[in-house]
């Protein structure tokens, strides 16, 4: 399977796990707890497959950068948490960095 597909799965699994974390209230909320645990297990498992092909620094930069942006979108949609202009600008720079890595870096493994 393609490393970028694994990376995409890792990113979405981590976002689901992190978004679920806010709803975990100990063992009294089993669904969010299971989503969190399973999401992180899947995310790290996929990430271990990714780093077999893509250099770990590049894979982690993409995983973390896209995770930050997507969890912010999820928090807005699910919890109504809004970002101010500096936060959105910072995230735009993170996405810009990921784009630069993908377009211009010779260490991305493709």
């Amino acid at each position: 399977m393609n490393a970028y597909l694994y990376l995409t799965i890792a990113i979405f699994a981590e976002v689901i796990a992190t978004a679920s974390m806010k709803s975990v209230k100990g063992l009294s909320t089993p669904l969010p707890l299971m989503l969190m645990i399973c999401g992180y297990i899947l995310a790290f498992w996929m990430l271990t497959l990714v780093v077999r092909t893509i250099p770990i620094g590049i894979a982690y930069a993409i995983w973390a950068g896209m995770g930050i942006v997507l969890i912010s979108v999820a928090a807005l949609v699910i919890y109504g948490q809004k970002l101010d202009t500096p936060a959105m600008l910072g995230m735009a720079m993170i996405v810009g960095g990921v784009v630069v890595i993908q377009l211009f870096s010779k260490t991305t493994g493709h």
Side-chain angles (χ1 to χ4, degrees):
M1 195 180 253
N2 184 320
Y4 284 96
L5 178 57
Y6 288 144
L7 184 56
T8 301
I9 294 168
I11 291 166
F12 280 102
E14 188 265 337
V15 168
I16 289 168
T18 302
S20 299
M21 189 184 297
K22 184 167 174 63
S23 297
V24 172
K25 294 173 180 63
L27 297 176
S28 66
T29 54
L31 180 60
L33 179 62
M34 291 309 297
L35 282 172
M36 185 185 77
I37 292 168
C38 292
Y40 283 126
I41 288 170
L42 179 60
F44 283 103
W45 177 37
M46 291 292 109
L47 198 57
T48 63
L49 299 177
V50 169
V51 298
R52 293 177 183 173
T53 306
I54 300 172
I56 195 165
I58 300 299
Y60 192 78
I62 295 167
W63 181 61
M66 296 313 298
I68 289 167
V69 172
L70 291 174
I71 194 60
S72 296
V73 171
L76 173 65
V77 171
I78 298 167
Y79 301 112
Q81 296 177 348
K82 295 184 175 136
L83 299 172
D84 60 11
T85 302
M88 288 188 289
L89 180 60
M91 284 187 217
M93 288 192 272
I94 290 169
V95 171
V98 170
V99 170
V100 167
I101 288 169
Q102 287 302 301
L103 293 178
F104 302 110
S105 177
K106 295 186 184 343
T107 60
T108 58
H110 65 295

